[in-house]
Amino acid sequence: MAGNWQDGYVTEIPYTQGFYHHLSPANLILCLLAKQVKFPPIDQPFTYCELACGQGLTTNLLAAAYPQGEFYGTDFNPTHIAQAQDLARAAGLRNVTFSDQSFQEYLEADLPPFDFISLHGIYSWISPENRRVIQTFLQKYLKVGGVVYVSYNTLPGWGVMAPIQKLMQFYRGRVSGLAVERLKMALELVELLKTNQAVYFQHPWLASRLEQLKAQDVHYLVHEFFNEHWHPLYVDEVMAEMGNAKLNYVGSAHLVDHVDAFNLPPAAINHLVTLSDPMLRELVRDFYLNAQFRRDVYVRGAVGMPGETQAQILQDMAFILTVVPNLVKLEHQTTAGQVQLQASLYQPVVDQLAQGAVTVAELVARLAPQGITLQQIGQTLIVLTGLGYAHPVVGESGLLTERFNQVIVERAELAGDLQFLASPVIGNGVKVSHLELLFLLAEQRQQPPVEFVWQILSRRGLQLTHEGKVLDTPEATLAFLREQAAQFTQQGRPLLQRLGI
Ligand SMILES: C[S@@+](CC[C@H](N)C(=O)[O-])C[C@H]1O[C@@H](n2cnc3c(N)ncnc32)[C@H](O)[C@@H]1O
């Protein structure tokens, strides 16, 4: 694309179409509640803005899930915004407005004050000047008491890969061709250095990090490794910059980060409790974890809430299971090693949630005979939500989500890139596979699922894979489809129904 509006950012190929559940108002307020900080009510009208919204799937889905919210999104790449507006139009969303303005231009736009502003995958990919523009935007448009979500590449975790980004980004300017071709050449250069045993490549962590690259989507790789401005940041730097916009750090939007025992070995926990300065604590914690990416929540004017208020709000909240119960694992591999969640606590909570949405007050009443307390239930629900097994309930059913989901399902006939549906019950996105979307399309068209999906796959020349093997005969594909359709009818479909989809 000609012109000089790109500011060093890659615009030759679009970014991936992702949905990021951490950005949902329900997730953000749960983070604030866990940290005993007051938050804006989301059962009344609120305003929400996503800066650098990409192709807008997250903002659109949230607009469908929260009809009481007024959503805004900007991204200076008009190709991204054309996609975002197209989906909003098709889904009949009237509570979302997209713009292709840069951050600088958006500063002067006619916008309302916001309750929520989110920035996912942008803050460490732009110049220091643009970061300053964002700070000014936050200061100008965030309401007092408003919430900011900001994610960014972090040091020390990116330390070992930063020189690789430097090399690839530099090489991009020295070779010609389309972005994807240049990416291939840059990756070949890296591979050659590895083969030739360049001393830098003896770093013990590099091999596995380079291996991970091979499995990544090219759109992601181009946007990660080819940007002129690419500055992984230490947490204290971001805290200081957010401070310029009068924001206070609250905690991580990734809720399992709230539970140290889940992430850190005992020695690290014992050390961290001695650090009362939150900046130092977070910085040191990032060294213990070798943190590479942070998803942080800030507020403008943190007002603490007494423990009793927190307990009351929590008891009034309801939670629901978001996966089929047998997918809940109590054993997890984390930076602390193999972590075993306490079965005598987690299993009863999961069993209760498996029966349907339930308020925390009701959970307390049902589990009190087993000696389980409100505090334990609260922490269990935070971990289960953070792991994607459970979620707070924020609504019932919604006409907007129905239409939005219908559009996503219809689009699955021609492409498989949109793989999230909107749940009005949890006010968040739910991951579904392309195959599941095609089964839903069969249902919508009242067609037998296996034959219907088989026809679409044949027409589009698509082959399925199972356990890493391509299914290359009609018999194998049909048998697999039958098995998947049966499983979807028994498990996936009822779960979606419970989630209001
Ligand atoms: C890594 S992508 C993330 C997109 C989206 N938040 C997501 O996670 O899918 C960064 C986005 O920032 C946009 N962007 C970069 N610089 C910008 C600027 N100065 N003003 C507005 N958007 C910008 C790019 O077009 C790109 O879509």
Side-chain angles (χ1 to χ4, degrees):
M1 236 181 283
N4 61 0
W5 55 270
Q6 295 91 340
D7 231 347
Y9 194 90
V10 169
T11 52
E12 293 140 279
I13 64 169
Y15 193 59
T16 50
Q17 293 249 36
F19 171 81
Y20 302 97
H21 68 273
H22 295 105
L23 278 65
S24 86
N27 184 67
L28 296 175
I29 66 166
L30 190 57
C31 164
L32 288 147
L33 179 66
K35 294 290 181 187
Q36 285 184 242
V37 175
K38 274 198 178 168
F39 48 82
I42 58 167
D43 54 355
Q44 303 167 18
F46 65 83
T47 48
Y48 186 113
C49 172
E50 186 182 2
L51 294 176
C53 61
Q55 302 195 51
L57 182 60
T58 303
T59 299
N60 270 321
L61 191 152
L62 294 177
Y66 295 89
Q68 71 277 36
E70 194 62 44
F71 288 79
Y72 291 78
T74 197
D75 191 295
F76 72 179
N77 186 336
T79 310
H80 286 175
I81 293 304
Q83 292 283 7
Q85 287 177 339
D86 177 61
L87 180 58
R89 228 180 347 257
L93 297 173
R94 296 187 192 285
N95 59 337
V96 61
T97 309
F98 287 107
S99 137
D100 71 344
Q101 288 177 305
S102 68
F103 306 132
Q104 182 72 51
E105 292 165 334
Y106 214 42
L107 254 187
E108 303 310 325
D110 183 18
L111 299 168
F114 293 112
D115 293 293
F116 297 91
I117 298 180
S118 62
L119 298 127
H120 184 64
I122 182 69
Y123 202 67
S124 53
W125 284 261
I126 49 175
S127 64
E129 294 73 43
N130 261 318
R131 293 210 306 274
R132 271 194 287 278
V133 172
I134 287 177
Q135 291 155 36
T136 309
F137 186 92
L138 298 177
Q139 182 151 23
K140 180 168 176 187
Y141 287 109
L142 188 72
K143 287 184 189 175
V144 168
V147 182
V148 168
Y149 164 95
V150 56
S151 68
Y152 52 98
N153 279 343
T154 312
L155 288 165
W158 265 100
V160 60
M161 282 298 283
I164 302 290
Q165 193 278 342
K166 157 74 200 179
L167 181 65
M168 288 175 64
Q169 202 279 328
F170 184 84
Y171 195 56
R172 172 207 181 197
R174 288 291 189 272
V175 291
S176 53
L178 299 171
V180 176
E181 292 161 355
R182 288 196 271 176
L183 176 76
K184 193 163 164 274
M185 288 185 255
L187 289 171
E188 281 165 1
L189 171 65
V190 171
E191 199 58 35
L192 180 66
L193 284 167
K194 190 177 145 204
T195 309
N196 292 348
Q197 298 180 348
V199 175
Y200 186 72
F201 284 67
Q202 290 168 13
H203 192 294
W205 291 344
L206 198 55
S208 68
R209 295 288 288 274
L210 292 177
E211 212 40 49
Q212 283 165 17
L213 287 194
K214 293 186 182 153
Q216 302 275 16
D217 183 295
V218 291
H219 297 251
Y220 159 76
L221 290 173
V222 165
H223 283 251
E224 186 73 87
F225 288 93
F226 275 3
N227 277 318
E228 188 180 322
H229 300 289
W230 185 88
H231 310 280
L233 296 157
Y234 287 103
V235 61
D236 63 300
E237 295 169 332
V238 178
M239 282 187 182
E241 293 187 3
M242 292 294 133
N244 294 339
K246 305 209 279 185
L247 302 184
N248 304 107
Y249 174 72
V250 177
S252 171
H254 186 50
L255 292 164
V256 284
D257 289 344
H258 292 218
V259 183
D260 278 346
F262 191 79
N263 302 291
L264 294 160
I269 297 173
N270 292 339
H271 178 198
L272 288 173
V273 292
T274 65
L275 306 176
S276 55
D277 171 352
M279 233 185 215
L280 179 63
R281 184 188 187 278
E282 289 302 310
L283 183 62
V284 171
R285 191 174 188 274
D286 283 350
F287 276 82
Y288 272 119
L289 295 169
N290 192 30
Q292 193 183 329
F293 191 66
R294 289 186 64 108
R295 308 168 184 91
D296 289 342
V297 181
Y298 287 82
V299 284
R300 179 169 186 157
V303 179
M305 68 170 72
E308 279 165 31
T309 312
Q310 182 198 39
Q312 193 52 55
I313 296 175
L314 182 64
Q315 291 195 73
D316 290 345
M317 285 173 84
F319 281 76
I320 190 169
L321 217 55
T322 50
V323 294
V324 288
N326 58 12
L327 287 186
V328 177
K329 285 190 293 138
L330 296 188
E331 212 171 67
H332 288 264
Q333 187 63 36
T334 77
T335 28
Q338 190 80 0
V339 174
Q340 180 71 42
L341 297 172
Q342 194 187 333
S344 59
L345 179 59
Y346 280 79
Q347 202 55 56
V349 175
V350 170
D351 292 344
Q352 292 299 327
L353 296 181
Q355 294 169 29
V358 55
T359 63
V360 176
E362 179 62 24
L363 269 180
V364 173
R366 290 186 201 168
L367 299 178
Q370 297 176 46
I372 298 177
T373 64
L374 169 64
Q375 206 196 357
Q376 288 174 314
I377 291 174
Q379 184 160 93
T380 304
L381 290 170
I382 293 286
V383 174
L384 290 175
T385 305
L387 290 171
Y389 294 148
H391 200 283
V393 171
V394 298
E396 286 166 8
S397 60
L399 283 178
L400 279 183
T401 49
E402 218 167 280
R403 178 142 173 215
F404 177 87
N405 291 336
Q406 210 166 344
V407 173
I408 300 284
V409 167
E410 275 160 14
R411 291 189 173 184
E413 183 169 9
L414 298 178
D417 51 352
L418 301 179
Q419 300 201 352
F420 290 88
L421 294 173
S423 161
V425 172
I426 61 171
N428 217 330
V430 176
K431 177 100 178 82
V432 277
S433 69
H434 188 205
L435 206 52
E436 288 170 328
L437 288 170
L438 292 176
F439 289 143
L440 289 171
L441 185 62
E443 184 183 310
Q444 213 160 282
R445 304 233 174 116
Q446 298 181 340
Q447 296 291 319
V450 173
E451 294 72 12
F452 178 79
V453 175
W454 168 244
Q455 276 169 18
I456 290 180
L457 296 178
S458 314
R459 197 165 63 230
R460 287 177 48 199
L462 295 177
Q463 283 188 320
L464 295 176
T465 50
H466 180 43
E467 289 171 353
K469 256 182 60 190
V470 177
L471 304 176
D472 51 7
T473 65
E475 295 73 27
T477 307
L478 282 164
F480 179 67
L481 283 178
R482 265 182 232 111
E483 193 187 293
Q484 293 295 306
Q487 195 177 332
F488 184 61
T489 308
Q490 281 161 20
Q491 300 193 329
R493 191 70 192 89
L495 175 69
L496 292 179
Q497 223 141 10
R498 274 205 299 282
L499 295 172
I501 297 173

